[in-house]
Amino acid sequence: MSVRTIGIIGGGQLGRMLAMAAARLNLRTVILEPQADCPAAQVANAQIVAAYDDPDALAELARVSDVVTYEFENVPVSAAEALAKTVPVYPPPRALEVSQDRLVEKTFIRDCGIVTADFAAVDSQADLEAALDRFGGVGVLKTRRLGYDGKGQRMFRSPAESREGTFEALGGVPLILESLVPFEREISIIAARDRDGTIACYDPAENVHLNGILHTSILPAGVNEATADQARKAARAILDQLGYVGVIGVEFFVLQDGGLVANEIAPRVHNSGHWTEAACIVSQFEQHIRAVAGHVLGDPRRHSDCVMQNLIGDDINDVPAWLARPGVLVHLYGKTEARPGRKMGHITQILD
Ligand code: AMP
C-alpha cells in the first residue's frame, strides 16, 4: 500500500521540519502531542491533542496513518509496540528501547563491535565508590534514563573530588559511570536506512556544545578520511543490527590519534544534522520521510561547507541581523516564549 499519511509522535521542532519535508513530497502528516498549537502542528495537516501513551489517541493515530514515526526517543516503548501491531512503526521500537537507557545503549553499541567509554552500572553509593576506584577516581556519572543536553550528570575530574552523597544527589535513580574520554573534538554522523536495507550517510559534522547544549555544527569536521570512514562504518553496523528504517544520529568523541569512541545514538533526525537542509541535495528530514514512506533514499551529498548555529533563548533577538546576512538560511520553530536554554531556531551559514 502506498503511504499517504504519516503519523508523527511528538510536536517539537523536529516534527515540524519532518512535516514540512513530507508536504513537499505530497505526504500528509498528523501530529500526536499534548501541547496544542505545538511547533509541528502549526505546519502539519492535523494534530491529535493527547498524551503520547493515551490508548484512544494512539488508536486514532494508527487509524489515520499509513505509517507512524516519532521525533523524540522517550516515546514509551509500550506505546510504540502497541501501535506496531496495527500500523508500521519506523524506526523499529527496539531502537527506542536501546536509546532510552544509557546502559542498554552502551552495551548494544559495544556488541556492534564499536568502541565506547568503559562503563559500569551504578545502583547505589557503594556501586559508585567501587566503579570510581576502578576508573582511577575520574569519570562521568549519568542518569541511565531521561538525561539529555548534559542534564542529570556529574563529572569527576580528579580523584580528590568528594563523592559523598552523590548517588542521592542525582535522585537515587539508576546511574551509569563512564570513564572520562580525553577527546580532542566531538563529531556526529547522520545516516539513513530504507526498507530494503540500503544505507546513505551524510558527512560527519564537528559539534561544539555550550552549557551541555549543542551550539554549533561545522562542516567539514576537522577529521581525516580514515576517521570519517570509521564513523560511517559504525553507523552502518548500528543500522543493520537494528533492522532500522529512517534517519539516525550517532555521536562520537574523537581521540588525538583519530580513533573514535561512540557516545550515544538518537533514533530520529538530529540537531547536528540541521545543516543538511542548506548544504545537501536532500536534507535529513526529507531522507527520514523517504525512508519511512517506502521511497528510495535521496542523495546525501554535501555541496557546500557550512556552519549551523542554534538560536537558544535570547539568541532569537539576533534574527533580524541573521536575515540581513548573505549566505545565511534562517529557520525558526514557531515558539512564542524564549526561555533560557530553549531552542528557538537555527541558522546555517554557507561558507565559500
Ligand atoms: P551526553 O549527555 O552523553 O551527550 O554528554 C554531554 C557532554 O558531556 C558530551 O557532549 C561531552 O562533552 C561530555 N561527556 C559525556 N560523556 C563523556 C565521557 N565519557 N568522557 C568525557 N566527556 C564526556
Side-chain angles (χ1 to χ4, degrees):
M1 190 187 63
S2 76
V3 169
R4 289 196 57 233
T5 304
I6 300 176
I8 301 175
I9 306 178
Q13 63 267 18
L14 301 179
R16 178 183 177 96
M17 292 186 268
L18 287 172
M20 290 167 75
R24 265 200 342 202
L25 295 180
N26 273 355
L27 293 161
R28 298 171 57 83
T29 46
V30 177
I31 310 296
L32 171 62
E33 160 67 44
Q35 184 209 318
D37 193 39
C38 58
Q42 293 169 19
V43 301
N45 296 88
Q47 177 178 8
I48 300 169
V49 181
Y52 309 122
D53 57 356
D54 179 317
D56 293 337
L58 288 165
E60 172 67 4
L61 188 68
R63 194 181 63 75
V64 299
S65 306
D66 301 307
V67 59
V68 170
T69 189
Y70 43 87
E71 60 120 46
F72 71 114
E73 59 270 42
N74 289 318
V75 173
V77 176
S78 56
E81 280 172 347
L83 264 180
K85 294 200 172 106
T86 53
V87 64
V89 175
Y90 300 128
R94 169 84 180 127
L96 289 172
E97 216 173 342
V98 164
S99 59
Q100 282 177 3
D101 181 324
R102 290 184 191 272
L103 185 66
V104 178
E105 180 179 49
K106 287 257 160 21
T107 306
F108 169 80
I109 294 172
R110 204 177 50 186
D111 290 348
C112 287
I114 301 162
V115 177
T116 67
D118 272 344
F119 57 91
V122 171
D123 293 316
S124 64
Q125 184 69 24
D127 284 353
L128 174 61
E129 305 279 351
L132 269 173
D133 288 344
R134 213 179 101 204
F135 295 164
V138 297
V140 188
L141 188 64
K142 306 178 180 179
T143 53
R144 276 174 59 177
R145 303 181 76 91
L146 297 175
Y148 66 96
D149 286 348
K151 290 193 174 67
Q153 299 195 5
R154 162 84 199 269
M155 186 93 75
F156 291 90
R157 291 191 181 280
S158 133
E161 275 180 49
S162 164
R163 310 162 170 186
E164 217 179 294
T166 305
F167 182 73
E168 289 306 322
L170 280 178
V173 294
L175 306 172
I176 180 173
L177 183 73
E178 299 175 13
S179 61
L180 204 57
V181 179
F183 63 87
E184 199 170 56
R185 58 188 85 226
E186 295 183 79
I187 65 165
S188 61
I189 192 152
I190 308 296
R193 187 173 183 276
D194 71 12
R195 294 189 192 183
D196 299 329
T198 302
I199 289 175
C201 297
Y202 290 93
D203 284 349
E206 181 162 342
N207 301 318
V208 179
H209 296 87
L210 272 186
N211 306 319
I213 304 177
L214 180 69
H215 181 255
T216 313
S217 294
I218 304 159
L219 279 292
V223 295
N224 61 28
E225 197 39 44
T227 299
D229 203 44
Q230 243 188 93
R232 284 190 287 267
K233 284 209 176 84
R236 281 176 180 277
I238 290 167
L239 289 170
D240 283 337
Q241 189 61 38
L242 289 170
Y244 199 89
V245 176
V247 162
I248 199 168
V250 187
E251 296 182 49
F252 302 91
F253 302 122
V254 186
L255 305 176
Q256 207 142 33
D257 66 1
L260 287 181
V261 176
N263 182 31
E264 60 184 2
I265 61 183
R268 52 172 170 77
V269 287
H270 195 252
N271 194 170
S272 70
H274 288 2
W275 60 275
T276 59
E277 74 180 338
C280 291
I281 293 162
V282 167
S283 75
Q284 65 163 346
F285 307 103
E286 178 174 333
Q287 198 73 296
H288 186 76
I289 292 297
R290 283 178 179 236
V292 303
H295 292 320
V296 68
L297 292 181
D299 186 344
R301 267 181 303 171
R302 180 171 62 83
H303 50 68
S304 303
D305 293 354
C306 65
V307 175
M308 187 287 305
Q309 192 182 309
N310 274 333
L311 302 176
I312 297 171
D314 287 344
D315 292 348
I316 193 74
N317 298 329
D318 302 337
V319 165
W322 285 118
L323 286 171
R325 284 268 283 270
V328 171
L329 186 73
V330 176
H331 198 144
L332 305 178
Y333 303 155
K335 301 180 185 177
T336 40
E337 202 191 330
R339 290 192 293 268
R342 192 174 198 206
K343 292 173 181 168
M344 304 300 292
H346 67 270
I347 62 99
T348 305
Q349 181 164 18
I350 298 293
L351 309 170
D352 22 50

